[in-house]
Amino acid sequence: MSTAPIVISCGEPAGIGPEIAVAAWAALRDEIPLQWIGDPRHLPADTPSDFPVCASDFGAPRTPGIPNPLHAQGVIDAIAGGVDMVMTGQARAICTAPIHKAALKDGADFPYPGHTEYLAALADDVPVVMMLACDALRVVPATIHIPLAEVPVQLTARLLTDTALITARALKRDFGIAAPRIAVAGLNPHAGEDGKMGLEEIEMITPVITALRAQGLDIFGPLSADTMFHPAARSRYDAALCMYHDQALIPIKTLDFSGGVNVTLGLPFIRTSPDHGTAFDIAGTGAADATSMIAALRMAAKMADARAA
């Protein structure tokens, strides 16, 4: 196993990112080498002196709960710097604390919808897939942050095929699953019920599954989404490919709200993130829960070990 650290990009300084980074390091310091990138002034006052910092001057102190556009470029540079550390072998993975997209847009005209798109751009615009994962479940939404009315338009055979292939490759490379099993949800209630509740399953989803099975993938469906997330059903697959955001995220957040991890599949480097936002309402109060950050760091370490094996 590599002794290189996992690097944590600071995220939005006014949120809980600095607090959960310190708390996660305290929990994992004897387990996983870590390195935090950010402005030391933004760390909690009681941060231990040996907390590992790659220091950067963001130009202004932190006010918990109130984002400062002056911090925007520093936040962006911390992400890019962390990626560079991983790509050059100085770190073995990056774990990103939550960002506040409006502050980045206001302060630095950040052109990306979020972390995932920026990371893909840093990797020369490789196709990527979002996975949410916990011990009980891995889910991949084929479409993400779009209105529900647009899902049938955006959902194409090419998108489903690419998403399934990227997921299968990542399950092998990053999770050490030699023969990954992928379950596919239907788009409509009861997976269309033989065309009575929609034709997408018959006309698009089933042909994609058939073609992928012909390529050797262990993939099956389409399944009725309301019956594919109970324990017995989950035991049959390693990841669930869902059609839209809430279809994927509701079951995992119900199963493990605090321990879910956001993973970007398809990148040439490993990236995980806690599955929550900046939590401005509790920043600086001491109420932040580092469970998801700890889970994200542990998952990053396991993924790095799997790639190195």
Side-chain angles (χ1 to χ4, degrees), residues 64-247:
I66 304 176
N68 186 339
L70 292 175
H71 296 153
Q73 193 59 54
V75 171
I76 296 166
D77 291 345
I79 300 167
V83 168
D84 184 68
M85 288 179 67
V86 181
M87 294 292 283
T88 57
Q90 300 172 69
R92 55 183 177 146
I94 181 170
C95 183
T96 59
I99 58 175
H100 184 59
K101 291 179 279 292
L104 299 185
K105 178 69 174 176
D106 292 343
D109 199 24
F110 188 63
Y112 303 97
H115 257 129
T116 301
E117 294 82 3
Y118 182 45
L119 292 164
L122 291 174
D124 294 326
D125 294 317
V126 295
V128 295
V129 165
M130 183 177 82
M131 172 184 281
L132 280 298
C134 66
D135 289 341
L137 178 65
R138 301 182 190 94
V139 292
V140 172
T143 63
I144 308 176
H145 298 122
I146 60 173
L148 191 57
E150 293 183 15
V151 169
V153 178
Q154 300 274 352
L155 199 60
T156 64
R158 172 50 55 193
L159 175 63
L160 286 179
T161 299
D162 291 346
T163 302
L165 290 172
I166 291 170
T167 300
R169 285 194 293 266
L171 289 170
K172 291 180 181 180
R173 179 177 65 168
D174 298 333
F175 292 88
I177 301 171
R181 305 163 299 166
I182 300 174
V184 181
L187 172 65
N188 298 294
H190 300 183
E193 200 165 294
D194 297 323
K196 297 181 179 65
M197 296 186 186
L199 296 174
E200 286 86 357
E201 287 78 12
I202 293 172
E203 294 178 350
M204 179 180 59
I205 301 173
T206 295
V208 166
I209 293 170
T210 300
L212 289 170
R213 289 184 66 83
Q215 295 181 39
L217 266 68
D218 187 352
I219 185 169
F220 59 95
L223 307 176
S224 180
D226 63 354
T227 60
M228 62 182 289
F229 295 110
H230 60 85
R234 297 199 309 272
S235 70
R236 298 176 57 210
Y237 58 81
D238 301 298
L241 173 53
C242 299
M243 298 298 105
Y244 55 92
H245 181 277
D246 285 11
Q247 190 183 62

